[in-house]
Amino acid sequence: QVQLVESGGGLVQAGGSLRLSCAASGRTVNSYAMGWFRQAPGKEREFVAALSRNGGSTDYADSVKGRFTISRDNAKNTVYLQMNSLKPEDTAVYYCAAARRLSTVVVVTTTTQYDYWGQGTQVTVSS
C-alpha cells in the first residue's frame, strides 16, 4: 500500500506558476499509474493529468494541455505537476492518486480507477 502527501499549493496571481509535489511512501511510485485531479467548490472531482507506470505516456485534460506538465522523480519517489499560465478557473483542491496496474504503459484518467488518494492541496488563482 502506498501513502501520498501533496504539497506546493498556495495563492498565485493569474499568469503565474506553481509546482505541486506528491511524495509517496510505502511503495515506489513506479509501481503505479499516477494521476492528478482537482475539485472546485460545488463541482465534481475532475481529471487533470496522468502518467503511466513506465513514465513514457501522459495524458491531460483539454483545459490544461500546453500549460500543465506531469512528471516523476524516481529517486525522490515523488510525482510533480508543473502548472504554468494559471487562470482563475484553475482554482481548486488538487489531489494526487495512484492506480494499481500490471501494464506499464497505460494511463488512467477516471477517478473510479484509482486506488489511493492524497489529502489534497489548495490552489487559488487570483484575477
Side-chain angles (χ1 to χ4, degrees):
Q1 183 168 331
V2 66
Q3 292 79 43
L4 305 172
V5 178
E6 302 96 333
S7 62
L11 174 64
V12 63
Q13 288 189 332
S17 298
L18 282 174
R19 188 178 78 160
L20 305 183
S21 298
C22 173
S25 60
R27 294 288 299 273
T28 57
V29 289
N30 57 11
S31 300
Y32 301 91
M34 300 297 296
W36 285 95
F37 290 76
R38 66 188 181 187
Q39 188 166 18
K43 295 188 177 181
E44 293 188 352
R45 192 169 298 189
E46 65 174 6
F47 167 71
V48 174
L51 181 69
S52 61
R53 276 186 59 189
N54 68 359
S57 300
T58 58
D59 197 7
Y60 297 91
D62 288 342
S63 59
V64 307
K65 279 181 182 176
R67 300 188 298 123
F68 290 12
T69 303
I70 186 171
S71 63
R72 186 180 72 199
D73 186 331
N74 291 333
K76 295 183 177 180
N77 212 29
T78 299
V79 176
Y80 301 99
L81 184 69
Q82 177 67 44
M83 306 187 295
N84 299 328
S85 302
L86 282 161
K87 305 175 181 179
E89 50 263 44
D90 294 320
T91 295
V93 177
Y94 282 72
Y95 298 90
C96 175
R100 295 187 299 260
R101 285 293 181 276
L102 290 178
S103 170
T104 60
V105 300
V106 298
V107 292
V108 182
T109 62
T110 56
T111 57
T112 55
Q113 295 186 70
Y114 278 88
D115 302 292
Y116 306 102
W117 293 84
Q119 83 290 347
T121 185
Q122 176 70 47
V123 172
T124 303
V125 184
S126 63
S127 56

